[in-house]
Amino acid sequence: MKIETKVEKFNEPLYLESGRLLEKFEIIYETYGELNEDKSNVIVICHALSGSHHAAGRYADEAKPGWWDKFIGDGKAIDTTKYFVICSNNIGSSYGSTNPMSIDPSTKKEYRLKFPVLAISDIVKAQMKLYKRLGISNAVAVIGGSMGGMQALCYAIEYPTFAKEIIALATTAYTRPWAIAFNKIGIEAIRHDPIFKNGNYAKDDLKALGLPGLAIGRMAGLICYLSPNLFNKKFGRDYASTDGLYELFGRFEVEKYLEYNAYSFPKYFDPLSYLYICKTMNIFDAGRNKDKIEDSFDKVQANLHLIAFSDDMLFFPEEMEEIRDIMVKLGRENQVTYKLIQSQSGHDSFLVEVEKFENHVREILKDK
Amino acid sequence: MKIETKVEKFNEPLYLESGRLLEKFEIIYETYGELNEDKSNVIVICHALSGSHHAAGRYADEAKPGWWDKFIGDGKAIDTTKYFVICSNNIGSSYGSTNPMSIDPSTKKEYRLKFPVLAISDIVKAQMKLYKRLGISNAVAVIGGSMGGMQALCYAIEYPTFAKEIIALATTAYTRPWAIAFNKIGIEAIRHDPIFKNGNYAKDDLKALGLPGLAIGRMAGLICYLSPNLFNKKFGRDYASTDGLYELFGRFEVEKYLEYNAYSFPKYFDPLSYLYICKTMNIFDAGRNKDKIEDSFDKVQANLHLIAFSDDMLFFPEEMEEIRDIMVKLGRENQVTYKLIQSQSGHDSFLVEVEKFENHVREILKDK
């Protein structure tokens, strides 16, 4: 599989949903496989909150491959011998695309809290400019889970002729207060971390461990990304050490897991970026600026494939069913599929239980 | 209804499950109604994590009455014209019973992190000493929800002849990793709060606002005490202010709710006490020191009444069903009842949806 990582710089303004703009912006992106002559074999992959453009393959120095490596590759469900797969790092994210720690051209300093709030539609709009730059005018499919699924829905609604197949996994048409509440823990933990200094943190203060407040936020995320049953199966009531029971800070295995994963996160993720991305997710509403959400979905021309996970505790299957029901109500039952996966890994099932939906996706992409 | 608040001091050691002891201890408790001549009309109420001995009635300066005021009072399900109701503040809790900020007799200083870890069995053992002091040798019923339900189960198992009826609501026979994970957010947020100083915080530093880290922990609690549907119904996607949408810190109603309730909590709750109570809940296991959990429930002589709530996201109905199934397996089907309430307030339903189970409790207590 041919993998390339590139950056495209755009010296033109990106007008945002909020009415504000980014004077210029850049996108780092990765591609897998080869673009065919008539540029008709493109599949777009959209990443989630803490994901990046590195969706597949393994760099020389990496312990783990890209986040959807099980799914994307030669002969895999998203077959890179056939398709040219593009995954962009979302603007706002701190993996290389324009984000709150980028330089604001008007002040020559980092934006920090002066960075504009981005909507999912802004992220997708920036990606569309990338495709235009690459001479790509349409895609076989757009595929994404969680926040990536929000982007997939946005493509379907805002750019109805761009992709023939839209595959949205573990997502929602509008973020409910339950998900907003989980994000709130991170927002408050970051804001009240004394090192954060209202966004004016010294980079050196974050060099070794990152921002502890962000670890607390990540911990809340780790809970809603998994599920009670998975926790039972994975950890039970096992102790990480034998002296743990009557020691105040003696730890259960589940606590050790949360500590390890939460505290490693701020070492590679920027707290301002986290705040902005949470906001982007919180304000996602496919029905915004429409009288009713049906008006948005009425614009869809692609086939819309919804894949929900039975034990998803962040975006519940009912939220995906609601989208299906809207499409059916609009008389679009031939244009929508809904598949409920009997999952055991919670929200993260879209990342780790690929074997449960890869054949479904192969079927969708067959002969396309 | 006659209400009295009293303190009993015990100048004798309380030997703890951990092998450690409290050299002496005290309990603040409240009573409702009047003890009859043969002391046979006692009902014991056990409180939850952030509850107190003030279960019913309203003090002159109070905006809200006690936490189970809908349930306890003259003519109410727990009828104080008939019963003498006792609610003790759990040891470990900071409302007046011995807790980590009490004076350690051996050092004449506050225990702080030298306070011993308490088990649910220790809290109940201390309460049994109170009843003995009051000349009470048995009760009509022990009733509690959540952590109070753990205590109720402990009474049933450890003191099988004490009460005839045990009513446990919204609880579990052993705390699962899902609940431990939610507690972990608070534990970490408190430990990493610079004001906490490894438990040696200056009391003055907490005077105005309390410990911010505790607010973060409370926020995690507020999420798992409620439910996704309740959040949808209560808050939807409403904004607390009209400029909220594209302002980074613009707030949804759900965020406003969480902020208000989370940040008010540390003003009246001690962070060390919170850490110790989380630990007490985390280590609760009715099967501890037994080969199997059935051995514990085999000791039960009371009628065990389990009340679960359909949308409880902390202690799921399955956990209560499991207790029922254990009793049935032991051939005790005549000694156990299980009632699933179709609730809409999540875990907190045991506090706020009293109207849905009060008749059931009246039935249980009828002619007793």
Side-chain angles (χ1 to χ4, degrees):
Chain A
M1 176 173 69
K2 182 178 170 189
I3 306 185
E4 291 188 300
T5 311
K6 294 182 183 171
V7 175
E8 284 290 332
K9 299 188 185 210
F10 297 84
N11 286 312
E12 54 179 298
L14 184 72
Y15 294 98
L16 306 172
E17 192 182 285
S18 62
R20 294 183 61 188
L21 57 80
L22 287 172
E23 270 186 58
K24 51 187 194 173
F25 66 100
E26 57 189 77
I27 292 181
I28 187 167
Y29 66 103
E30 218 164 83
T31 64
Y32 315 96
E34 306 213 42
L35 188 60
N36 63 8
E37 212 160 312
D38 61 354
K39 302 186 175 180
S40 66
N41 69 333
V42 171
I43 288 187
V44 168
I45 302 294
C46 303
H47 73 73
L49 198 168
S50 61
S52 73
H53 51 290
H54 181 38
R58 190 190 297 241
Y59 306 145
D61 60 342
E62 272 192 320
K64 284 201 276 185
W67 54 272
W68 233 352
D69 188 71
K70 285 194 205 179
F71 197 31
I72 303 164
D74 291 356
K76 296 180 185 174
I78 301 177
D79 190 348
T80 44
T81 63
K82 193 173 170 191
Y83 302 110
F84 179 65
V85 180
I86 306 178
C87 184
S88 306
N89 181 222
N90 296 338
I91 55 168
S93 167
S94 54
Y95 285 111
S97 294
T98 297
N99 68 73
M101 289 302 278
S102 301
I103 298 299
D104 178 351
S106 69
T107 65
K108 315 287 183 230
K109 287 190 280 188
E110 293 137 358
Y111 286 100
R112 300 203 181 225
L113 286 182
K114 294 196 173 112
F115 196 71
V117 164
L118 301 177
I120 292 290
S121 63
D122 300 323
I123 291 169
V124 170
K125 189 190 241 184
Q127 290 171 6
M128 287 298 292
K129 287 186 187 284
L130 171 66
Y131 311 140
K132 194 174 177 193
R133 171 81 55 94
L134 302 176
I136 292 166
S137 57
N138 57 65
V140 176
V142 174
I143 308 176
S146 193
M147 185 183 172
M150 295 175 179
Q151 293 167 63
L153 295 177
C154 179
Y155 274 98
I157 294 166
E158 301 290 331
Y159 306 94
T161 61
F162 177 68
K164 287 188 200 71
E165 312 295 328
I166 300 285
I167 306 178
L169 304 93
T171 194
T172 188
Y174 49 94
T175 305
R176 266 68 165 183
W178 177 255
I180 294 170
F182 275 96
N183 282 340
K184 185 68 172 172
I185 294 174
I187 294 169
E188 292 303 302
I190 291 169
R191 288 180 78 179
H192 286 85
D193 189 317
I195 301 173
F196 183 62
K197 297 187 175 67
N198 198 31
N200 295 310
Y201 59 80
K203 283 183 191 171
D204 274 358
D205 285 351
L206 265 55
K207 208 171 252 176
L209 298 172
L211 192 84
L214 176 55
I216 304 294
R218 182 64 170 175
M219 204 171 274
L222 290 166
I223 296 174
C224 63
Y225 301 156
L226 301 182
S227 80
N229 283 337
L230 182 70
F231 274 178
N232 286 341
K233 233 188 299 180
K234 205 174 164 90
F235 308 113
R237 285 181 49 80
D238 293 345
Y239 257 90
S241 59
T242 50
D243 64 346
L245 190 56
Y246 300 113
E247 293 292 324
L248 181 61
F249 296 123
R251 294 181 308 168
F252 284 94
E253 280 290 349
V254 65
E255 296 182 283
K256 186 179 161 189
Y257 163 86
L258 290 171
E259 277 182 43
Y260 177 80
N261 286 285
Y263 286 105
S264 62
F265 184 66
K267 293 178 192 167
Y268 57 86
F269 211 92
D270 176 68
L272 278 165
S273 186
Y274 193 84
L275 287 178
Y276 275 88
I277 297 172
C278 283
K279 181 72 182 182
T280 299
M281 290 184 74
N282 285 351
I283 64 173
F284 178 65
D285 179 357
R288 181 165 304 124
N289 303 326
K290 298 286 180 301
D291 278 346
K292 45 190 197 309
I293 195 161
E294 286 78 1
D295 296 342
S296 289
F297 283 97
D298 204 24
K299 294 167 68 182
V300 174
Q301 295 183 31
N303 294 313
L304 181 54
H305 305 282
L306 307 165
I307 304 179
F309 297 90
S310 60
D311 67 342
D312 191 333
M313 300 295 285
L314 183 60
F315 300 127
F316 295 89
E318 299 89 292
E319 302 180 41
M320 301 284 276
E321 280 169 37
E322 191 179 301
I323 301 173
R324 190 259 324 262
D325 294 346
I326 290 169
M327 292 293 285
V328 170
K329 193 178 157 195
L330 289 166
R332 311 293 198 88
E333 52 275 1
N334 294 331
Q335 223 180 307
V336 67
T337 71
Y338 169 79
K339 193 171 177 72
L340 178 64
I341 304 292
Q342 291 304 321
S343 59
Q344 303 187 304
S345 305
H347 180 65
D348 271 359
S349 298
F350 83 93
L351 294 170
V352 300
E353 299 194 355
V354 168
E355 68 284 359
K356 292 189 178 168
F357 58 81
E358 60 185 352
N359 284 338
H360 180 59
V361 171
R362 276 181 205 275
E363 222 26 65
I364 292 167
L365 296 178
K366 205 173 158 183
D367 307 322
K368 273 156 201 156
Chain B
M1 176 174 69
K2 181 178 170 189
I3 306 184
E4 290 188 302
T5 311
K6 291 181 183 173
V7 176
E8 283 291 331
K9 300 186 185 212
F10 297 85
N11 286 310
E12 54 178 298
L14 184 71
Y15 295 98
L16 306 172
E17 194 183 282
S18 62
R20 294 183 62 187
L21 56 81
L22 287 172
E23 270 185 59
K24 51 187 193 174
F25 66 100
E26 56 189 78
I27 293 179
I28 187 166
Y29 65 102
E30 218 164 84
T31 64
Y32 314 96
E34 306 215 41
L35 188 59
N36 64 7
E37 210 160 314
D38 60 357
K39 303 185 174 179
S40 65
N41 68 333
V42 171
I43 287 186
V44 168
I45 302 293
C46 303
H47 73 73
L49 198 168
S50 61
S52 75
H53 51 288
H54 181 39
R58 191 189 298 239
Y59 305 145
D61 60 343
E62 272 191 318
K64 284 201 277 186
W67 54 271
W68 234 352
D69 188 72
K70 285 195 205 177
F71 198 30
I72 303 163
D74 291 356
K76 296 182 185 173
I78 302 178
D79 188 348
T80 43
T81 63
K82 194 172 168 190
Y83 302 111
F84 179 66
V85 179
I86 306 178
C87 184
S88 305
N89 181 222
N90 297 336
I91 56 168
S93 166
S94 54
Y95 284 111
S97 293
T98 297
N99 69 72
M101 290 302 279
S102 301
I103 298 299
D104 177 354
S106 69
T107 65
K108 316 286 183 232
K109 288 189 281 189
E110 292 138 357
Y111 286 100
R112 301 206 179 220
L113 285 183
K114 294 197 172 111
F115 196 71
V117 164
L118 302 177
I120 292 290
S121 62
D122 300 323
I123 291 169
V124 170
K125 189 189 238 182
Q127 289 171 5
M128 287 298 293
K129 286 185 186 286
L130 171 66
Y131 311 141
K132 194 175 176 192
R133 172 80 56 93
L134 302 177
I136 292 165
S137 56
N138 57 64
V140 175
V142 175
I143 308 177
S146 192
M147 184 183 171
M150 295 176 181
Q151 293 167 62
L153 295 178
C154 180
Y155 275 98
I157 294 166
E158 302 289 331
Y159 305 96
T161 60
F162 178 68
K164 286 188 201 70
E165 312 295 328
I166 301 284
I167 306 178
L169 304 93
T171 194
T172 189
Y174 49 96
T175 305
R176 265 72 163 180
W178 176 255
I180 294 170
F182 275 96
N183 282 340
K184 184 68 172 172
I185 294 174
I187 293 170
E188 292 302 301
I190 290 169
R191 287 179 79 180
H192 287 86
D193 189 317
I195 302 172
F196 183 61
K197 298 185 175 67
N198 198 30
N200 295 311
Y201 60 80
K203 284 183 192 171
D204 274 357
D205 285 350
L206 266 54
K207 208 170 252 175
L209 298 172
L211 192 83
L214 177 55
I216 304 294
R218 183 63 169 175
M219 205 172 274
L222 291 166
I223 295 174
C224 63
Y225 302 155
L226 301 181
S227 79
N229 283 337
L230 182 69
F231 274 178
N232 287 342
K233 232 186 300 178
K234 205 174 164 91
F235 308 113
R237 285 181 51 79
D238 293 344
Y239 257 90
S241 59
T242 49
D243 63 349
L245 189 55
Y246 300 112
E247 292 292 322
L248 181 61
F249 297 124
R251 295 182 308 168
F252 283 95
E253 280 290 349
V254 65
E255 295 182 283
K256 185 179 163 190
Y257 164 85
L258 290 171
E259 278 182 44
Y260 177 80
N261 287 285
Y263 287 105
S264 62
F265 185 66
K267 293 179 190 165
Y268 57 86
F269 211 91
D270 176 68
L272 277 165
S273 188
Y274 193 84
L275 286 180
Y276 274 88
I277 297 171
C278 282
K279 180 74 182 180
T280 299
M281 290 184 75
N282 285 351
I283 64 173
F284 178 64
D285 178 358
R288 180 165 303 123
N289 304 325
K290 298 287 182 299
D291 279 345
K292 44 191 200 308
I293 196 162
E294 285 79 359
D295 296 343
S296 289
F297 283 98
D298 204 25
K299 295 166 69 181
V300 173
Q301 295 182 30
N303 295 313
L304 182 54
H305 306 280
L306 307 165
I307 303 178
F309 297 89
S310 60
D311 66 342
D312 190 333
M313 299 294 286
L314 184 61
F315 301 127
F316 295 88
E318 299 89 292
E319 303 180 41
M320 302 285 276
E321 280 169 35
E322 191 179 301
I323 302 172
R324 189 260 324 261
D325 293 346
I326 290 169
M327 292 294 283
V328 171
K329 192 178 157 193
L330 289 165
R332 311 293 199 86
E333 53 274 3
N334 294 331
Q335 225 179 307
V336 66
T337 71
Y338 169 79
K339 193 171 177 73
L340 178 64
I341 303 293
Q342 291 303 322
S343 59
Q344 303 186 304
S345 305
H347 181 66
D348 272 359
S349 298
F350 82 93
L351 294 169
V352 299
E353 298 194 354
V354 168
E355 69 284 0
K356 291 191 179 168
F357 58 82
E358 63 186 352
N359 284 338
H360 179 60
V361 172
R362 276 180 205 275
E363 220 29 62
I364 292 167
L365 296 177
K366 203 172 161 187
D367 307 323
K368 275 155 199 160

